[in-house]
Amino acid sequence: MWNDEEGDQPLARCRSQEAASYAAIAEAILTARKKFGRAFGFDLATDPNGDMLLYLYIREHDGRTTSLSALWGASNVAYSTARRCVTAMEERGVVQRFPDPSDGRRYLVGLTPRARQLIEAGLELVRLAGACLPSRNDGSP
């Protein structure tokens, strides 16, 4: 029964839908944070570590790799600050750096499996909170 591929298909579809939902939630959070940054100034509305983690999650969900410089662009902070953030995340086992196979001069950054699980747990809380909100039928955005 456990090896029944046909029986596993609905579960695999469900997991795939969850991951797509999580990626959409992560994108919405990043979009909102960028709007806050533009409205109030990125110095008041910036969480470079959080932004980088969400950005990595989205890119990995889309099957894309992420260079250190691309990650810096997502962080809305100076390059040196972004590098320090990545180093701290690497030391804590949240991300890992590895050589870019197509360009030996640069490094790519990826989430560790444990970090991905923790991000998805957090995004699940956001998803559940959104499901509990009353729907807005007044035509406002």
Side-chain angles (χ1 to χ4, degrees), residues 33-54:
R33 292 173 61 79
K34 285 183 192 262
K35 283 188 175 197
F36 285 150
R38 284 192 293 274
F40 300 109
F42 285 102
D43 59 325
L44 295 179
T46 298
D47 171 16
N49 292 300
D51 290 348
M52 287 190 273
L53 290 173
L54 290 172

Side-chain angles (χ1 to χ4, degrees), residues 26-111:
E27 286 186 53
I29 292 169
L30 275 180
T31 299
R33 292 173 61 79
K34 285 183 192 262
K35 283 188 175 197
F36 285 150
R38 284 192 293 274
F40 300 109
F42 285 102
D43 59 325
L44 295 179
T46 298
D47 171 16
N49 292 300
D51 290 348
M52 287 190 273
L53 290 173
L54 290 172
Y55 184 74
L56 276 171
Y57 181 82
I58 294 164
R59 289 184 60 88
E60 288 184 7
H61 174 268
D62 293 344
R64 296 184 292 168
T65 58
T66 306
S67 68
L68 189 57
S69 58
L71 200 52
W72 163 54
S75 69
N76 296 307
V77 294
Y79 185 73
S80 59
T81 302
R83 280 186 70 94
R84 282 193 304 274
C85 291
V86 171
T87 298
M89 288 190 284
E90 188 175 30
E91 288 170 354
R92 293 183 188 186
V94 175
V95 299
Q96 52 197 2
R97 288 186 225 200
F98 47 94
D100 182 344
S102 64
D103 183 350
R105 296 169 295 169
R106 54 180 220 166
Y107 279 85
L108 302 175
V109 182
L111 294 169

